[in-house]
Amino acid sequence: MTGGKTPFLWTLFSAGGTLAALLFPVHLFLSGLAFPLGWLEAPSHDSLLNLVQHPLTRLYLFFLISLPLFHWAHRFRYTLYDGLKLKHLTTLIAVLCYGCALIGTVVTAYTLWNVP
Amino acid sequence: MGSREKLPPTVTLAVTRYRPEEESEPTLQTYEAPYRKDWVVLDALNYIKDKVDGSLSFRWSCRMGVCGSCGMMVNGEPKLTCAAFLSDYLPGPIRVEPLQFFPIVRDLVVDMTDFLHKLKKVKPWVVREEERPLSEGEYRQTPEQLDIYKQFSMCINCMLCYAACPIYGLEPGFVGPAAIALAQRYNLDSRDIGAQERLDILSGKDGIWECTFVGECTKVCPKNVDPAGAIQQYKLTGAAHWFKSVLLPWGRK
Amino acid sequence: MSAEAHYTRYHPQWYRRRVSVWWWLQSWRYTKFVLRELTSVFVAFFAVITLWQLRALVDGPQAYTQFVRGLKSSPLVAVHGVAFLFVLFHSISWFHLAPKAMVMRLRGKRVPDWVIVGLNYFAWLIASGTIAWLLLRG
Amino acid sequence: MDVFSRDVLVVGGGGAGLRAAIAVAEANPRLSLAVISKVYPMRSHTVSAEGGAAAVIKPEDSFDEHAYDTISGGDWLCDQDAVEAFVKEAPAEMLQLEHWGCPWSRQPDGRIAVRSFGGMKVERTWFAADKIGFHMLHTLFQTSLKYDALQRYDECFVTRLLVDDGRCRGVVAIEVATGRIFAIAAKTVILATGGCGRVFPFTTNGAIKTGDGMALAYRAGAPLKDMEFVQYHPTGLPFTGILITEAARSEGGWLLNKDGYRYLQDYGLGKPEPKPVLRSMELGPRDRLSQAFVKEQEKGRTFEGPYGHYVHLDIRHLGEELIDRKLPFVRELCRKYVNLDPVKEMIPIQPVVHYMMGGIHTDIHGATPLPGLYAAGEVACVSINGANRLGSNSLTECLVFGARAGRAAAGFAAEQKESNPAVFAQASDEQKRLEESLLRKTDGKERIASLREEMQKTMEACAGIYRTGAALQQAAQDLHQLQERFHDLRLEDHSYTFNTELTGALELSFMLDVGEAIVASALARRESRGSHQRTDHPQRDNEKFLAHSLAYRTPEGLPRIDYLPVTITRWPPGQRVYGK
Ligand SMILES: Cc1cc2nc3c(=O)[nH]c(=O)nc-3n(C[C@H](O)[C@H](O)[C@H](O)COP(=O)(O)OP(=O)(O)OC[C@H]3O[C@@H](n4cnc5c(N)ncnc54)[C@H](O)[C@@H]3O)c2cc1C
Ligand code: SF4
Ligand code: F3S
Ligand code: FES
């Protein structure tokens, strides 16, 4: 693998890592634990939808979902290489990892585009 | 010597032996050495070599943590044996092995020719378009400019960071922490203009992008060089360059 | 295998060690590293959940209610609990690595690492507070 | 046996060797060039130098001042033509190193910063915090990588010089990793193998400083000059002998005896002042300071510890900020090796063998009397250090005379025709000797370590800071006996692969030769001068001994001492005055 696209993918990885580090804990805590367990009152469908309709929120959500996916793709790819010594499968793994992230990104974009 | 509290009079060392003429694999051999409070592991090894078994081989010279020759694994961690006090490993036995991930030449001696090739590859010297004649005096460099690269110039080439970096173990081609830190040392030196040449080399195969920021290199470094930091900063520069060259292809010379 | 290379005089016969697939289990430092890397799986997990939630939201109140009910199932809560710990681990390790990659200088002096780490935590608090406020104000 | 051939072969990859090699590559890129070293070059002992390197740079300084400080510091035993060449070329050499990237410490405006040093009247010691040797060596080594013409034989141990027809023709060496013995036929050989501190038990010198080059040249017929002048550094850490750099004193550190008294004032070194005064008190020359320590000890005013007598070096009043900026290594070493923080506590120190003023006799171009053989660095004696070297002159010496030797050797090599086949026979003799008398020998009962310890004890007892004729006489006999016993040596290691016992044995035999030369030279010099203090001849005697001693190896193996007048150009012998 030459310098090639790596710097770009690494930038996505870093940006995603930073977003995830800053924002995921609170989102996860609220929507995965606090709301389902009733510790805090969850916002209603309408108010959420209201929020999401705002273009800034949509932009926010786009990055919030897609960049961490690329963060995962990049990091997981190397974890597979190193942790399982799978360097010989490099192309396959790369295609799978970044491919998934790309699909996730497209679906996110499509969904956000179609917010009623 | 002197009066001391109750301390173990001796300490056991389990030392790697590998004699290629006789055996095809390394084995561990145990030795007893006297315990002294001010002894380092290297002192115990020297005691063994002098008094017990003259055939034990290892490298050392300065005994003050600056020549970089006495790196070994002490209880599984890369250490300068001249700076690893026996008292920190009591009650023993202390396992002393050759640096991890390097081929073993003999006993505690590893082969490090690989590193020397890599070092040369990153052009660790001041690159200039034109040398300034000596008659014009020194290149000015303020203490602040010196401070920018100083830390990375402290590397004693002891190889502990390589023995700590699993990526080097998995991927022996990886240029590795110390060599990259030294490349960065020259990149950041206000007298040097070789950064682009080095980046071309190091953004290629086996360069900075191999590193996954395990960070162990920095933890074991006896001279606080922080190779992990050097590499990440280098990646940032590499990425910036990439964007520049893609977005402004005409902007590069 | 049986034909082991034999020593010949004046020729080095180095012993080369192979790194085992389980290298990261052999030392806690390495295990910790691999765990850190595996936080990415939970990051991805939550990104997908968020995407899913978004789709449910867009699909209308009914789909959304169903999704919310799904979140309350105990296995999913448990998974979220674990994911939360991993994501926290990610945040903390990420903040602490940040000063290595980003060197800031102020008036010629390098900004000490703890300041940068502190700034990260500060940003974290602000961001978390803002988001919580947006979601909780009702 | 493999025989390689080179135009110029540099033995030693320390400061002097690398500087010489680069000089050859620059002087004549067509020459084939190699550096052979028993350790990887960056392991060479230059790496541990701490304090700095001297060269005139300040406007208020002058070459004459530097020359005078050097000559009076050397108790007029310096060759003044050499000193003049040295001080004049020093600044350019240091600048060259700056251009190669050495991270010298700077003033706020970006110019080179200098500090004061013992025995120097003006600040002229360039420094890179307190790791100058390290930075210098790595700068030179890394720069040397850029010369493709420069080939290296790393971890190859030179065992013998090949001499034929009155000329040096190459070397025989062992590749340590494989045990392969090979010869390099060379038109010129530059020895830059460093000093011999390991002849003594308590030294700042690393394990590799075993006087190999001195013994190699001595055996090949070149004389060793001024070998009786062994420098004790006043401030070493007990037990390890780790050096606390002179910079600790030049920044303002004090030497205190057990009553907390700055005892140097009792030894004609000036009055105590709160701020350091150049050429006075703690900034006096090393020989005087070490001698004062012995006197204090005799008066019972030193501390007694498990590793002998000691006094205190106090740098607490310098403050944490200055210590961290200018003496970080001192703090690191103290914390690590004596478990104390010099910011808060006083450092125990005692004099320790540090440097060899003597060495292979060379002229000011680094040429030895044996044609084709050059020498530079601590292994050589160009005679700029005389009877006592001033701190920070020796790194500069490595550069100036390394470069000079390189250029001269390049010139000599270019004039020579192909080398002489007689060396092949000699080389295979040497191979036989190594294999039969050491590697494959299974009888014998002496151990390396015990002979080495006895030698070191002998040297310390007779050739220390103060010496007497009787003790030296005794030592000469003891060393001779040790030489005999060396033949009865037995190695436990018969492996060809990285056999450090074999190299250890060779080093021991080199050290025995060097030790004999030191003792014989000291015995013959019946006066006291600089670092050579004879209690039975306490006065300096310019009439008889304003001369360099030359030790030649006789066919029986014993040294024969001869004398050579000192070159005096402009500074007639005077009194060494400090503290005024
Ligand atoms: C602790 C300490 C601090 C010092 N501080 C200062 C200071 O502040 N200022 C100053 O001016 N001076 C200082 N000195 C003195 C100075 O460092 C040395 O005199 C100088 O570095 C010697 O350099 P060199 O190149 O001659 O030898 P070295 O650096 O010792 O190099 C010798 C080389 O020869 C090679 N070699 C030796 N034997 C053989 C063999 N048989 N075969 C092949 N290769 C061989 C070695 O491998 C090595 O590469 C200090 C010395 C010490 C010990
Ligand atoms: S970076 Fe540190 S650990 Fe690595 S070789 Fe240099 S000094 Fe040793
Ligand atoms: S341990 Fe290795 S992976 Fe990178 S951060 Fe250090 S080089
Ligand atoms: S012996 Fe030099 S670093 Fe340990």
Side-chain angles (χ1 to χ4, degrees):
Chain A
M1 165 117 294
T2 57
K5 296 172 258 7
T6 317
F8 176 63
L9 296 172
W10 180 80
T11 311
L12 293 184
F13 154 80
S14 305
T18 310
L19 271 190
L22 284 174
L23 305 172
F24 270 29
V26 60
H27 276 298
L28 204 161
F29 177 75
L30 290 176
S31 70
L33 297 170
F35 297 153
L37 291 174
W39 296 343
L40 291 166
E41 198 190 329
S44 68
H45 172 264
D46 290 350
S47 64
L48 262 191
L49 191 62
N50 231 334
L51 204 57
V52 171
Q53 275 162 342
H54 195 286
L56 273 182
T57 316
R58 280 195 252 176
L59 200 64
Y60 169 80
L61 284 174
F62 174 71
F63 287 116
L64 184 74
I65 296 171
S66 63
L67 284 176
L69 282 176
F70 277 95
H71 169 79
W72 163 79
H74 194 73
R75 210 171 210 185
F76 194 61
R77 168 186 162 211
Y78 279 97
T79 315
L80 288 180
Y81 287 174
D82 303 330
L84 298 176
K85 301 201 6 169
L86 294 177
K87 203 94 189 194
H88 48 286
L89 299 178
T90 167
T91 327
L92 181 67
I93 294 177
V95 168
L96 276 179
C97 288
Y98 299 118
C100 287
L102 198 62
I103 293 173
T105 305
V106 171
V107 174
T108 312
Y110 175 83
T111 312
L112 287 169
W113 192 255
N114 289 321
V115 170
Chain B
M1 256 192 258
S3 60
R4 297 242 159 78
E5 317 118 62
K6 278 241 170 70
L7 283 174
T10 65
V11 56
T12 307
L13 281 85
V15 181
T16 302
R17 299 304 310 268
Y18 170 61
R19 286 146 296 199
E21 281 122 303
E22 293 157 26
E23 55 203 0
S24 55
E25 274 187 18
T27 50
L28 275 186
Q29 184 165 346
T30 52
Y31 296 101
E32 294 282 311
Y35 171 78
R36 303 262 160 78
K37 156 168 142 299
D38 7 39
W39 272 21
V40 291
V41 172
L42 182 64
D43 293 323
L45 290 175
N46 270 319
Y47 172 88
I48 293 164
K49 176 145 189 99
D50 285 352
K51 312 272 169 171
V52 185
D53 182 351
S55 75
L56 181 67
S57 276
F58 49 91
R59 293 188 179 106
W60 72 288
S61 173
C62 69
R63 223 226 93 137
M64 56 190 276
V66 68
C67 74
S69 34
C70 68
M72 297 168 210
M73 306 296 287
V74 181
N75 280 356
E77 262 186 62
K79 285 277 175 200
L80 291 180
T81 48
C82 69
F85 282 84
L86 292 177
S87 53
D88 292 339
Y89 297 92
L90 289 182
I94 306 173
R95 219 161 10 100
V96 186
E97 295 160 301
L99 283 182
Q100 193 175 221
F101 305 139
F102 291 91
I104 308 176
V105 175
R106 158 93 193 262
D107 298 346
L108 296 164
V109 178
V110 296
D111 175 68
M112 54 170 284
T113 41
D114 176 54
F115 170 73
L116 281 131
H117 291 303
K118 288 174 175 164
L119 182 62
K120 176 158 181 167
K121 198 167 135 186
V122 305
K123 300 185 190 256
W125 51 78
V126 171
V127 174
R128 297 204 50 98
E129 215 137 287
E130 228 172 281
E131 271 257 7
R132 176 208 293 243
L134 292 180
S135 55
E136 285 174 28
E138 71 261 48
Y139 296 110
R140 294 288 180 98
Q141 186 169 67
T142 62
E144 290 77 37
Q145 287 172 317
L146 173 67
D147 193 53
I148 290 177
Y149 70 89
K150 181 90 197 217
Q151 181 179 27
F152 301 140
S153 74
M154 304 307 269
C155 171
I156 60 172
N157 301 355
C158 65
M159 307 287 95
L160 299 193
C161 52
Y162 284 75
C165 174
I167 304 307
Y168 177 64
L170 293 161
E171 202 55 53
F174 176 37
V175 174
I180 299 180
L182 281 164
Q184 188 70 337
R185 172 244 177 279
Y186 283 95
N187 290 338
L188 298 178
D189 190 322
S190 57
R191 296 166 287 190
D192 177 271
I193 57 155
Q196 185 62 49
E197 284 174 47
R198 289 188 203 100
L199 183 62
D200 289 343
I201 298 163
L202 282 172
S203 60
K205 190 170 154 15
D206 294 331
I208 47 179
W209 303 110
E210 290 291 325
C211 160
T212 50
F213 209 169
V214 178
E216 284 302 313
C217 50
T218 289
K219 289 204 191 112
V220 302
C221 176
K223 297 288 142 182
N224 298 321
V225 173
D226 191 11
I231 301 175
Q232 309 322 308
Q233 291 157 34
Y234 215 149
K235 286 182 189 166
L236 220 56
T237 324
H241 255 268
W242 186 89
F243 279 98
K244 249 193 241 159
S245 65
V246 169
L247 301 178
L248 325 155
W250 59 91
R252 262 175 76 180
K253 63 164 182 179
Chain C
M1 276 316 277
S2 61
E4 235 164 47
H6 278 293
Y7 172 82
T8 15
R9 182 166 296 173
Y10 304 148
H11 288 277
Q13 160 134 356
W14 300 335
Y15 181 77
R16 288 178 189 278
R17 291 163 283 184
R18 293 271 303 270
V19 177
S20 118
V21 183
W22 307 111
W23 60 268
W24 46 275
L25 284 180
Q26 281 156 11
S27 128
W28 170 235
R29 294 169 162 222
Y30 293 158
T31 314
K32 220 163 68 186
F33 159 72
V34 169
L35 285 180
R36 187 190 87 193
E37 297 300 285
L38 285 179
T39 57
S40 71
V41 173
F42 294 92
V43 166
F45 162 77
F46 186 66
V48 170
I49 291 281
T50 309
L51 176 53
W52 195 353
Q53 182 177 18
L54 183 64
R55 290 196 63 90
L57 193 70
V58 173
D59 285 350
Q62 222 176 353
Y64 188 68
T65 322
Q66 209 168 356
F67 173 82
V68 170
R69 200 175 310 127
L71 283 185
K72 288 187 179 152
S73 75
S74 22
L76 208 53
V77 169
V79 173
H80 268 115
V82 175
F84 181 64
L85 293 180
F86 270 91
V87 168
L88 262 190
F89 181 29
H90 166 72
S91 302
I92 294 168
S93 57
W94 195 266
F95 295 155
H96 284 268
L97 291 177
K100 295 234 170 295
M102 272 196 302
V103 173
M104 290 202 284
R105 292 186 174 272
L106 253 185
R107 275 182 253 108
K109 282 233 165 60
R110 186 169 167 174
V111 179
D113 284 4
W114 65 266
V115 174
I116 300 184
V117 176
L119 284 176
N120 270 299
Y121 276 105
F122 184 67
W124 191 37
L125 281 183
I126 299 286
S128 303
T130 317
I131 290 164
W133 178 72
L134 278 173
L135 289 177
L136 290 174
R137 76 199 149 140
Chain D
M1 181 175 15
D2 293 317
V3 181
F4 305 101
S5 118
R6 298 277 118 192
D7 292 323
V8 181
L9 177 68
V10 181
V11 184
L18 291 173
R19 183 65 191 92
I22 295 175
V24 173
E26 301 220 306
N28 187 347
R30 284 189 312 280
L31 292 176
S32 63
L33 163 68
V35 172
I36 183 168
S37 172
K38 69 178 174 181
V39 295
Y40 281 101
M42 65 276 190
R43 314 293 187 220
S44 305
H45 204 62
T46 296
V47 82
S48 59
E50 298 166 21
V56 170
I57 180 172
K58 288 201 154 186
E60 67 266 30
D61 199 0
S62 73
F63 293 146
D64 280 4
E65 296 263 22
H66 190 187
Y68 182 78
D69 284 347
T70 303
I71 290 162
S72 58
D75 219 347
W76 278 272
L77 201 69
C78 312
D79 279 346
Q80 299 184 357
D81 54 342
V83 174
E84 288 191 71
F86 166 70
V87 299
K88 278 200 193 104
E89 285 168 29
E93 278 300 328
M94 306 289 279
L95 275 180
Q96 179 65 72
L97 207 61
E98 194 275 331
H99 286 202
W100 283 333
C102 187
W104 296 114
S105 292
R106 306 280 179 155
Q107 302 172 19
D109 66 355
R111 283 180 305 159
I112 301 286
V114 280
R115 62 162 50 127
S116 48
F117 234 64
M120 300 273 192
K121 200 155 45 197
V122 185
E123 285 110 350
R124 58 170 79 96
T125 295
W126 303 36
F127 62 103
D130 54 0
K131 293 201 171 180
I132 175 53
F134 160 76
H135 284 300
M136 199 170 128
L137 185 65
H138 281 254
T139 302
L140 283 170
F141 176 61
Q142 288 163 8
T143 302
S144 80
L145 295 175
K146 117 180 137 173
Y147 297 91
D148 288 319
L150 194 162
Q151 198 198 340
R152 282 204 329 270
Y153 297 91
D154 292 334
E155 299 201 311
C156 290
F157 188 106
V158 173
T159 67
R160 168 173 181 172
L161 296 180
L162 296 170
V163 179
D164 186 54
D165 198 13
R167 257 183 53 197
C168 179
R169 311 251 180 202
V171 305
V172 178
I174 308 174
E175 183 178 45
V176 182
T178 62
R180 187 171 56 122
I181 296 168
F182 63 99
I184 304 177
K187 291 177 184 165
T188 51
V189 173
I190 304 176
L191 286 175
T193 57
C196 60
R198 285 272 155 182
V199 174
F200 290 83
F202 185 58
T203 173
T204 60
N205 287 193
I208 55 175
K209 297 195 74 169
T210 48
D212 303 9
M214 297 174 186
L216 287 168
Y218 181 57
R219 291 176 185 180
L224 301 181
K225 182 165 59 178
D226 292 340
M227 292 298 282
E228 60 274 41
F229 298 102
V230 177
Q231 179 165 76
Y232 274 76
H233 195 293
T235 58
L237 292 180
F239 175 56
T240 55
I242 289 172
L243 180 78
I244 297 303
T245 171
E246 188 156 310
R249 278 174 284 130
S250 63
E251 296 299 342
W254 298 330
L255 289 180
L256 304 174
N257 68 12
K258 90 176 181 207
D259 310 321
Y261 172 70
R262 287 174 74 183
Y263 59 89
L264 292 177
Q265 56 190 294
D266 297 354
Y267 300 93
L269 284 155
K271 293 265 152 311
E273 304 281 344
K275 289 257 170 297
V277 177
L278 296 166
R279 268 177 77 101
S280 132
M281 290 297 289
E282 283 81 3
L283 287 182
R286 292 176 180 172
D287 53 345
R288 290 290 190 77
L289 267 55
S290 298
Q291 288 153 18
F293 173 90
V294 179
K295 299 280 185 213
E296 278 300 285
Q297 182 183 335
E298 284 166 3
K299 292 182 195 157
R301 303 203 296 196
T302 52
F303 298 95
E304 239 185 297
Y307 304 106
H309 289 258
Y310 66 90
V311 291
H312 276 147
L313 172 64
D314 188 0
I315 61 172
R316 295 173 301 177
H317 52 285
L318 304 182
E320 181 162 7
E321 192 275 332
L322 183 137
I323 292 175
D324 280 344
R325 187 158 43 84
K326 286 180 149 175
L327 304 167
F329 198 38
V330 167
R331 194 169 184 195
E332 180 187 330
L333 290 170
C334 287
R335 280 181 157 165
K336 206 166 262 164
Y337 291 100
V338 280
N339 196 21
L340 61 77
D341 183 354
V343 169
K344 300 196 200 89
E345 286 155 279
M346 297 193 270
I347 313 168
I349 48 106
Q350 50 189 214
V352 53
V353 169
H354 182 53
Y355 182 84
M356 191 62 192
M357 266 70 75
I360 306 166
H361 171 42
T362 73
D363 66 11
I364 62 174
H365 304 292
T368 71
L370 180 65
L373 183 67
Y374 292 75
E378 195 171 339
V379 72
C381 180
V382 218
S383 291
I384 65 154
N385 298 314
N388 170 57
R389 167 182 74 103
L390 288 193
S392 79
N393 263 353
S394 102
L395 289 174
T396 315
E397 174 184 0
C398 288
L399 297 175
V400 171
F401 291 98
R404 278 182 160 243
R407 288 190 294 266
F412 183 88
E415 292 161 13
Q416 306 305 310
K417 290 199 256 326
E418 270 321 300
S419 62
N420 181 326
V423 299
F424 294 88
Q426 277 185 36
S428 36
D429 281 354
E430 175 68 0
Q431 177 171 24
K432 225 190 274 149
R433 173 183 83 95
L434 292 173
E435 297 200 327
E436 280 168 14
S437 72
L438 288 168
L439 250 186
R440 287 210 285 271
K441 189 170 137 183
T442 48
D443 56 343
K445 55 180 184 306
E446 298 288 355
R447 286 192 73 95
I448 296 180
S450 41
L451 292 189
R452 191 176 56 215
E453 273 162 31
E454 284 186 48
M455 168 195 72
Q456 290 173 337
K457 264 198 215 118
T458 307
M459 293 303 292
E460 183 172 55
C462 80
I465 300 177
Y466 286 97
R467 303 154 172 193
T468 66
L472 286 163
Q473 200 102 50
Q474 182 61 43
Q477 276 171 27
D478 293 349
L479 287 176
H480 192 67
Q481 253 169 26
L482 288 171
Q483 290 274 26
E484 298 286 307
R485 285 168 62 192
F486 181 82
H487 295 297
D488 201 24
L489 195 69
R490 188 173 70 86
L491 301 193
E492 289 166 31
D493 191 349
H494 302 282
S495 163
Y496 280 82
T497 310
F498 222 98
N499 186 332
T500 48
E501 207 187 17
L502 173 64
T503 52
L506 293 166
E507 288 172 342
L508 172 61
S509 98
F510 288 147
M511 287 192 286
L512 286 169
D513 281 13
V514 171
E516 285 193 316
I518 294 174
V519 167
S521 310
L523 187 58
R525 185 177 289 276
R526 287 184 300 280
E527 65 157 353
S528 290
R529 180 188 296 273
S531 67
H532 173 71
Q533 295 291 317
R534 286 276 299 257
T535 44
D536 48 349
H537 297 277
Q539 298 306 319
R540 193 172 78 178
D541 181 354
N542 281 337
E543 209 126 287
K544 285 211 209 89
F545 289 108
L546 189 59
H548 303 295
S549 58
L550 292 178
Y552 289 88
R553 191 169 189 268
T554 57
E556 307 78 66
L558 289 172
R560 170 176 66 79
I561 305 297
D562 209 347
Y563 287 93
L564 184 78
V566 171
T567 309
I568 305 274
T569 56
R570 289 157 48 205
W571 294 276
Q575 282 309 316
R576 292 175 74 196
V577 182
Y578 293 98
K580 298 235 164 64

